Amino acid sequence: MTYTITRGCCTDASCVSVCPVDCIHPRPGEPDFGKTEILYVDADVCIDCGACADACPVNAIKPADTLRGDELVFLDVNAEYYKNRVPAEANVEHTWDLMGPPRAGRPLRVAVVGTGPSASYATRALLLSTDTEVTILDRGVLPGGFVRAAVAPDHAGTKHFSSTFDWIHQHPRIRMYMNVSVGKDVTHEELLEYHDAVIYGVGADRDRPLGVLGEDLSNVYSAHQFVRWYNADDFVRPIDVVLSGGRVIIVGNGNVALDIARIVLSDPADLAKTEIAQAALEAIAAAKVQEVVILGRRGPEQAAFTRPELLMMPSGVELLIQSDPQTEADLASAEAGSKAALLAGLKRTSANLNEPPGPGRRAIFVFGAQVDSILGDGCVENVVVKTADDTIAIPASTVIRSIGHRGSPVAGLPFDDINGTIPHEDGRVIDKDTGRKVPGAYVVGWIKRGAQGGIGVNRSDAQETVLTLLGDFAGQIDRPKVGTAWAFKRFVKRKAPFLVSRRSMKKLDKAEQEAGERLGRPRLKRTSGIAN
């Protein structure tokens, strides 16, 4: 029996690297690598060796004969990819160990800002393939970045991904300083006094606004704020979100929107087995949300979520599509295997959204819908929505906008405000006005390419940046002298008085896990508000 890739696939291609028969695609270098929802196993080629499952950092690869329930659909999902696929040769010779020309002189000293996937992949590349000494800085108290703060708590496999990098934090060529904000506590120029280069993997931490009347009312939240609330992020307090019952409206239909819908509709008893924030668990249990309306500006084929995400809605929650002539026409013409074809299999509803929700739990997709305004006396009461046929006021207790993310400027570096990224060439930061290189500055992840691509894409993204950095320093024997690691430690302690050391970080992490074990949970996240 062959292996099958299921939901939660991070697409980082660790499985590709170990497969002895090249049965997993797309692989790095192929035209569609980084563009598909998951990777796929060719059942006709797989020899059932299990190497891919052992290498998978998120436990998404399973023997086909062990799949049960809604996982069985992934047998067809994997097979569909190969049905009409034309084999493609990788356009580059790919190896994760290819790290550019050898360097001379003393080891490089590089600061990496961030501990999420992109920053961690960059750190790993430097440690495995060079003798570089790395200083890790993060504004959070515990590492993980996006995975810790934004991945839904019921994505247990994806949450496990962070453990892939645990060994990094123990490495002898690593120094770690948590709860340090680069640009606030220390500047880019100050980092370069002690390092040859700085790699920024700071993600995209701002949501795009709706730009409509009433967006500033109470109980209107950004997806960024909401997901970090239920993940006990250091920068969102338990009291920052108030979840009311009845109906929740989510503007946007990407994976984050479906995550939020799934979490607020889940049985609290199921959520209690995850690492969800305790305050959020209690709020969801008390709210008893009955209905989530998911608004999409365009039609079913342009829905932003991935198919695996749609298949994760918990049992007991009814998935519906609001029926209208245009949506029905779009679904009727859907191509086999497309996202719209998957949606076409859902039940339809002609429920009057002007009225309060009925009994039960449901998520309703509404396509071709544009938010006109949000109404209420201090707090959300109604959301006025324009569709192709009508304008309706939908009663709601909570509104969450989930229409994309943008990066924030980093003090001392250029910034592209249109795209919400730091301008670069192959990861090397450039001044967008002059095109000149910004000395010692490099970027990885969403701050580099925009808020697109899953976790695994960061692996090749980080490799590109590291190759660029190493190429810039290749052959430089007499590089300018920088301060020692011990000198930087003294400096950063003065600049960031609430700094969390590696030793303290490990103690906090252990305390969370032990507290979770006592409750039968992976961890119980701390909410002390220690972050600066």
Side-chain angles (χ1 to χ4, degrees), residues 207-216 220-222 249-252 295 297 370-374 383 399-404:
D207 283 74
R208 297 180 185 276
L210 293 171
V212 300
L213 177 70
E215 192 171 5
D216 57 347
V220 178
Y221 305 105
S222 70
I249 292 181
I250 303 175
V251 185
L295 302 177
R297 188 164 52 90
Q370 183 85 30
V371 175
D372 179 76
S373 58
I374 303 172
V383 178
V399 176
I400 302 164
R401 63 175 188 270
S402 183
I403 54 174

Side-chain angles (χ1 to χ4, degrees), residues 11 21 26 58 130 156 240 267 275 331 360 393 452 475 517:
T11 71
V21 293
V58 293
T130 76
D240 287 343
D267 185 333
E275 58 181 65
L331 294 174
Q452 56 186 343
E517 287 175 6

Side-chain angles (χ1 to χ4, degrees), residues 4 88 99 101-102 111 192 216-217 226 229 263 301 326 336 338 351 395 441 500:
T4 302
M99 284 290 115
L192 287 180
D216 57 347
L217 289 173
F226 200 85
W229 168 70
I263 292 299
E301 188 55 48
Q326 184 59 56
S338 69
V500 173

Side-chain angles (χ1 to χ4, degrees), residues 481-524:
K481 187 176 181 180
V482 296
T484 67
W486 291 111
F488 180 72
K489 182 178 182 179
R490 291 193 297 270
F491 169 78
V492 75
K493 280 186 171 182
R494 292 197 308 270
K495 300 286 286 188
F498 300 105
L499 174 151
V500 173
S501 67
R502 175 160 52 179
R503 179 177 297 178
S504 297
M505 177 197 82
K506 290 170 62 178
K507 288 181 178 179
L508 289 169
D509 181 57
K510 184 179 180 181
E512 282 193 351
Q513 294 185 51
E514 290 178 345
E517 287 175 6
R518 290 192 289 270
L519 299 173
R521 302 172 63 178
R523 65 171 64 231
L524 183 62

